[in-house]
């Protein structure tokens, strides 16, 4: 459970997440990308589920973790690698292919640790994937030091960074890391099988979903909202009209169409 991994930090959920479960693939909006399975909008999140058990959930859980981190901790003092590492840590149990850090593809530690959000956002998808892989492996590398194996020291790092401490200083103090040797130590770690293991167990993850029964009209209205916030106005309009044909007084459909 995301919250249970943090002992001191209490996460608040600022607004609800609407999970849309499609009856079958015929309801799937056109040209939807994997990266659009999770859409964050003003006042609500929209998560699209195709309803099959083989779905790769990793992207959804990664995005939701980043949503919680951003809304509760902010990105000002949390470096990009730590944000990505935590998100992938919680997401990796729900993907069909766990992230692997390939030693030959590692970004040099001094560049990796200083990469900011703007620079990361402007990379191509392959570079973003490499950065995400390395962030997860580096998180495991840190958690394996002092035999902590849990989030206790990661949370200490977050608290130190939020208090304004320099990242390198905080890492050195909390994890006994020497920056003169950190790149070599991490590369050696990445060669070992331990770098590929995910330290979080699915059995410790729980989700408190509150399903509600909705009629077909409201279902189309929720799907239309998801499509609208995915920047597909025409398709959203079509779905809203279909919703209102079934139930002309549907308030969600009417307000969105307006």
């Amino acid at each position: 459970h995301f919250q249970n991994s943090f002992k001191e930090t209490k996460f608040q959920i600022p607004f609800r997440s609407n999970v849309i479960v499609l009856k079958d693939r015929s309801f799937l909006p056109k040209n939807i990308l994997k990266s659009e399975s999770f859409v964050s909008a003003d006042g609500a999140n929209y998560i699209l589920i195709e309803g099959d058990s083989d779905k790769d959930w990793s992207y959804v859980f990664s995005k939701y973790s980043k949503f919680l981190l951003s809304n509760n901790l902010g990105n000002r003092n949390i470096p990009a690698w730590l944000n990505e590492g935590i998100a992938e840590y919680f997401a990796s149990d729900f993907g069909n292919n766990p992230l692997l850090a390939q030693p030959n593809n590692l970004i040099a530690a001094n560049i990796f640790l200083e990469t900011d959000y703007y620079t990361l956002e402007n990379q191509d998808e392959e570079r973003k994937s490499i950065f995400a892989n390395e962030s997860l492996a580096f998180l495991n590398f840190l958690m394996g030091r002092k035999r902590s194996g849990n989030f206790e020291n990661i949370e200490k790092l977050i608290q130190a960074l939020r208090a304004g401490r320099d990242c390198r200083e905080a890492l050195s103090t909390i994890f006994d890391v020497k920056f003169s040797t950190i790149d070599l130590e991490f590369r050696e770690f990445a060669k070992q099988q331990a770098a590929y293991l995910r330290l979080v167990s699915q059995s410790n993850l729980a989700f408190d979903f509150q399903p509600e029964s909705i009629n077909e009209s409201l279902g189309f209205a929720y799907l239309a909202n998801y499509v609208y916030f995915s920047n597909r106005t025409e398709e959203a309009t079509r779905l809203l009209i279909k919703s209102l044909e079934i139930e002309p007084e549907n308030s969600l459909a009417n307000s969105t169409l307006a």
Side-chain angles (χ1 to χ4, degrees), residues 6 8 12 15 31 38 49 57 75 86 104 117 122 129 139 142 169 173 182 191 201-202 204 228 242:
F6 296 86
E8 302 296 332
Q12 302 295 323
F15 45 74
N31 302 318
F38 181 101
I49 295 176
W57 303 107
N75 292 337
I86 292 174
N104 295 332
Y117 292 94
N122 285 279
S129 178
L139 197 74
L142 293 177
E169 178 190 344
T173 303
I182 190 172
K191 291 178 182 179
S201 169
Q202 264 192 18
N204 294 326
Y228 173 75
K242 183 178 291 188

Side-chain angles (χ1 to χ4, degrees), residues 35 59 63 66 75 80 83-84 115-129 131:
S35 61
Y59 185 83
K63 291 288 286 185
K66 290 177 183 177
N75 292 337
N83 186 63
E84 288 286 333
T115 299
D116 57 35
Y117 292 94
Y118 178 80
T119 301
L120 180 60
E121 186 60 32
N122 285 279
Q123 302 299 307
D124 59 33
E125 291 305 312
E126 181 180 0
R127 296 299 296 176
K128 287 180 181 177
S129 178
F131 189 87

Side-chain angles (χ1 to χ4, degrees), residues 21 78 80 84 108 136 148 159 165 174-175 188 195 231:
V21 183
I78 305 300
E84 288 286 333
L136 175 59
S148 58
Q159 292 172 339
R165 288 184 62 185
I174 297 171
F175 297 100
E188 286 299 316
N231 298 315

Side-chain angles (χ1 to χ4, degrees), residues 85-143:
I86 292 174
E88 297 305 332
Y89 175 83
F90 286 100
S92 59
D93 257 357
F94 297 91
N96 295 326
N97 299 300
L99 293 175
L100 303 181
Q102 302 298 334
N104 295 332
N105 292 334
L106 293 179
I107 305 166
N110 61 323
I111 298 175
F112 167 71
L113 293 171
E114 294 176 4
T115 299
D116 57 35
Y117 292 94
Y118 178 80
T119 301
L120 180 60
E121 186 60 32
N122 285 279
Q123 302 299 307
D124 59 33
E125 291 305 312
E126 181 180 0
R127 296 299 296 176
K128 287 180 181 177
S129 178
I130 291 174
F131 189 87
N133 292 354
E134 187 164 346
S135 297
L136 175 59
F138 191 73
L139 197 74
N140 281 324
F141 166 68
L142 293 177
M143 291 174 65

